[in-house]
Each structure stands twice: as structure tokens, then as C-alpha cells.
Amino acid sequence: MPPRSDPPRPSSSVPPKAREQAKKLTVKQERDARRAEKVAAMVAQQKRQRRNRLVGWIIGGVAGAAAVALLVTFVVTSNAPKADPASISIADLQTYPDLTANHVDGTVDYAQTPPAGGDHNAVWLNCGVYSEPVPNENAVHDLEHGAVWITYDPAQVDAAGVETLRSQLPDTYVVLSPYEGLSSPVVASAWGNQVFLDGVDDPRLDEFVTKFWKSNDAPEPGAPCTGGLDAPGKVA
């Protein structure tokens, strides 16, 4: 009896066709994974762009609202009626009517200290801030042109006080200078008008400037306050 042979064992190797299919599946999976990564990146970028646009809209809206608020404030303040100088009443205001306004040479003996008008030098003083006393006769010419002259006693007003005075005054048609021996710390003068102030914070200073700065009551309002004489000690 012939010997019985064992049945053939199945081969453990993968057929070539199956290996090719598996390889294709792996490539497809990798391609799909890369595509998914790209899609995720695009979605994230779109989210960032939307967020940035939203932030830009918010910032732009806030800036726009601020600009509108500033514009409204400007319009309201610009249209606000200004105080009528004639209606301003200043306590203890001294007035000197009928002052002469002749051009003279030499010194003038003024009735007021400091003077508030009268005959004066033909050359006006350049308006500004002075650290030294200025000539009466030239400063009075400024009053004739509508300027105000603020004098202070250096024995009663220190450097900080002078800066306080400067901060309250216009940039033009103003003379600020020391004047020794005043009976008050600060004196504000305009043509034919004067007030003796209790100090640099006296609220009457603002009232006086509002009422008499470039006033039409001066003999020559609006005439130049520059192009004249620079006295010693001019700092601004």
C-alpha cells in the first residue's frame, strides 16, 4: 500500500495582487490624511481672519464713536455763545476816563502805578513775557493797541506764581512783567481800566482779560503788538 502523503499546506506569502491593493490603500489613506490636515489648516486660518476682522470692526467702531464725540463736542463748544464783555462785572475795577494819548519823548509822570493809559512813547513795546521791568511809556502804547498789561511784585510773587500767571494769559496782545513796589501782588491793566488782584489765582484776572483783551474801547484796537521795541529781559 503506497504511503499516504500529507495534504498541501497553504502558503503563508501574500499574493502580489493583494499586496498591490494594500499598498494603494495605504497611499490613499496618507493622501486623505494630508488633505484633512490642509482642510483643518484652512479652517483655522479662516477663523483667525474672521476674528481679526471682528477685532478690526470693534476697534474701528470705538475710534469712530470717539471721533464723533469729539466732533460733537467741538460743534457744541464752537456754537456756544461767548460772554458779552460789556456784561462782565469786575469787583473793585478802577476806571480812568478821558486819558490823553499823545506821542511824547522822555519819561511821563503817570497818575497810576502801574499806568493804565495816557501819553506814551511813539514806539510800542513788543508784547510778551519779560523777566525785568519794562519802560512805562512803551508799555502804555501797547494798551493803546488793545493789549492788557499784567504786572506783579517780585517780592510777593515767586517763579511758580509767574508760571501760574502765564498759564492764564493769551499768547498775543499781552505783556507780563515784574513791577516793584506794587500795593497788590498782581495788577491787571488795560487802557483806562485797572484792577488790583489778591494773588495769581484771583478769578478776576480771567474776567479782566475776557473783558478788555483787544477791546474796542482802546484808542487803536488791533494795531500791531510786534515789530516794536524788545525791552531787556524778554523771555517769550
Side-chain angles (χ1 to χ4, degrees), residues 193-231:
N193 296 276
Q194 196 168 66
V195 63
F196 290 76
L197 304 174
D198 297 330
V200 297
D201 295 320
D202 194 318
R204 291 176 295 170
L205 174 59
D206 180 67
E207 296 173 349
F208 188 91
V209 172
T210 302
K211 187 176 181 68
F212 295 112
W213 183 68
K214 300 179 71 172
S215 171
N216 289 328
D217 293 336
E220 298 178 6
C225 204
T226 58
L229 170 71
D230 266 347

Side-chain angles (χ1 to χ4, degrees), residues 160-170 176 200-201 205:
V162 174
E163 289 302 314
T164 299
L165 290 173
R166 289 184 64 174
S167 68
Q168 301 177 73
L169 300 176
L176 175 62
V200 297
D201 295 320
L205 174 59

Side-chain angles (χ1 to χ4, degrees), residues 19 55 68 77 85 88 107 153 161 163 170 192-193 199 202 204 206 208:
R19 286 200 302 270
V55 172
V68 171
T77 55
I88 299 175
T107 59
D153 187 345
E163 289 302 314
N193 296 276
D202 194 318
R204 291 176 295 170
D206 180 67
F208 188 91

Side-chain angles (χ1 to χ4, degrees), residues 38-54:
K38 291 181 179 179
V39 170
M42 291 176 60
V43 171
Q45 183 179 12
Q46 290 173 352
K47 287 182 178 180
R48 286 195 300 270
Q49 291 175 344
R50 286 197 297 269
R51 183 170 61 252
N52 292 339
R53 285 197 297 269
L54 179 60

